[in-house]
Amino acid sequence: MDKDMSYEEYVEQVRQGILTSSGNCPVTPLLVMLQGKWKFQIIYELCIKGQIRFGELKKSLAGITNTMLTSSLRELERDGLVSRVQFNEIPPHVEYSLTERGKALLPVFYAMTKWGFEYIP
Amino acid sequence: MDKDMSYEEYVEQVRQGILTSSGNCPVTPLLVMLQGKWKFQIIYELCIKGQIRFGELKKSLAGITNTMLTSSLRELERDGLVSRVQFNEIPPHVEYSLTERGKALLPVFYAMTKWGFEYIP
DNA sequence: CGGAATCCGAGCGGATACTG
DNA sequence: CAGTATCCGCTCGGATTCCG
């Protein structure tokens, strides 16, 4: 089964147990990538701003520490969702943005948002 | 903005910063509900089996302990995603299934799956 | 400016034993 | 059968300090 399957096909595969959470279904890896207290907010800010510097990003995420922002960005970069461009200037200058892979998550967030508007009071 | 907005409307709202991750966007609560090592696999099993007993569920989730299965189910129940029906028999008999709210997550998992098939090797 | 290094407390996930 | 009770190690998130 491939990425072009329809929603109806998907439901059918799940019902029949063909797609299993522990096996051939890629949902778990994605959930793991999005785990952590700040990951989603970071991606969201990058969606809005497009491209943003470390300091600006930190200001947008009220309460986050340097340590957490750095480690979250490093993991998102390792997972190929965020790209980091470093300008060799003094003072240092770094720009973060979403990769194609990261931008492709928007339909997922759209589905979550629709669910939320219906089921979260 | 409501639950009937189109994907294009959604993207536009995100771009303009109208939907913010820390404010009026309901994605974060959902991510929190799905956090934990076993939550997603449990929901998946319930999708497949429809209705299932504690012992059967445990057999389906290789490696999970009583403690984790119980606490995960309790949290999913508290969040309104899973329903628990207890039959007052001896020996005890309990059936778990997804609520409407839980079943409504399928489009979210579908979007995640499509993303995964495209971007996970 | 954009981090790295270090330390710390809380809580999550897990193992084991027991029970109505 | 379907849990509860207890204990424990380890990782996550956070505070603080220092650096190129």
Side-chain angles (χ1 to χ4, degrees):
Chain A
M1 189 47 66
D2 65 334
K3 66 188 171 66
D4 294 324
M5 72 176 157
S6 69
Y7 180 63
E8 288 71 25
E9 286 176 296
Y10 172 76
V11 172
E12 197 49 33
Q13 300 240 335
V14 171
R15 287 281 142 69
Q16 294 179 16
I18 295 176
L19 285 173
T20 63
S21 61
S22 52
N24 53 345
C25 170
V27 172
T28 307
L30 177 54
L31 283 173
V32 170
M33 288 181 198
L34 297 179
Q35 255 168 22
K37 192 171 179 183
W38 302 96
K39 295 273 183 72
F40 174 67
Q41 292 186 54
I42 291 172
I43 292 180
Y44 231 79
E45 285 303 317
L46 292 176
C47 275
I48 296 169
K49 304 289 175 55
Q51 192 149 0
I52 189 170
R53 299 181 61 163
F54 185 90
E56 279 295 309
L57 194 48
K58 189 181 171 186
K59 269 192 277 185
S60 305
L61 302 167
I64 197 170
T65 59
N66 287 345
T67 315
M68 284 310 298
L69 182 50
T70 300
S71 70
S72 301
L73 283 169
R74 289 285 186 276
E75 289 176 23
L76 289 171
E77 194 190 357
R78 178 203 62 196
D79 294 337
L81 302 178
V82 161
S83 88
R84 176 181 186 273
V85 177
Q86 178 174 351
F87 301 84
N88 286 319
E89 306 172 356
I90 294 179
H93 179 178
V94 179
E95 294 273 0
Y96 291 97
S97 58
L98 289 181
T99 61
E100 285 309 307
R101 187 177 175 143
K103 288 178 191 164
L105 287 176
L106 262 178
V108 174
F109 295 150
Y110 171 63
M112 287 182 164
T113 303
K114 288 199 67 160
W115 183 91
F117 278 132
E118 183 144 4
Y119 292 99
I120 293 185
Chain B
M1 188 47 65
D2 63 335
K3 66 188 172 66
D4 294 325
M5 71 176 158
S6 70
Y7 179 64
E8 288 71 24
E9 286 177 295
Y10 172 76
V11 172
E12 197 50 31
Q13 299 240 337
V14 171
R15 286 280 142 69
Q16 294 180 14
I18 295 176
L19 285 174
T20 64
S21 62
S22 51
N24 53 346
C25 170
V27 173
T28 307
L30 177 54
L31 283 173
V32 170
M33 287 182 198
L34 297 179
Q35 253 169 24
K37 192 170 178 183
W38 301 97
K39 294 273 182 73
F40 174 67
Q41 292 186 52
I42 290 172
I43 292 180
Y44 233 79
E45 284 302 316
L46 292 176
C47 274
I48 297 170
K49 303 289 174 56
Q51 191 151 0
I52 189 169
R53 300 181 61 161
F54 185 90
E56 279 296 309
L57 194 49
K58 190 180 172 189
K59 270 192 276 185
S60 305
L61 302 167
I64 198 171
T65 58
N66 286 345
T67 314
M68 285 309 299
L69 182 50
T70 300
S71 70
S72 301
L73 283 169
R74 290 284 187 274
E75 289 176 25
L76 290 171
E77 194 189 357
R78 179 203 62 198
D79 294 335
L81 302 178
V82 161
S83 87
R84 175 181 187 274
V85 176
Q86 178 174 352
F87 300 83
N88 286 319
E89 306 172 354
I90 295 180
H93 178 179
V94 179
E95 293 272 0
Y96 291 96
S97 58
L98 288 182
T99 61
E100 285 309 309
R101 188 177 174 140
K103 288 178 192 165
L105 286 175
L106 262 178
V108 175
F109 295 150
Y110 171 62
M112 288 183 163
T113 303
K114 287 200 68 160
W115 183 92
F117 278 132
E118 184 144 4
Y119 291 100
I120 293 186

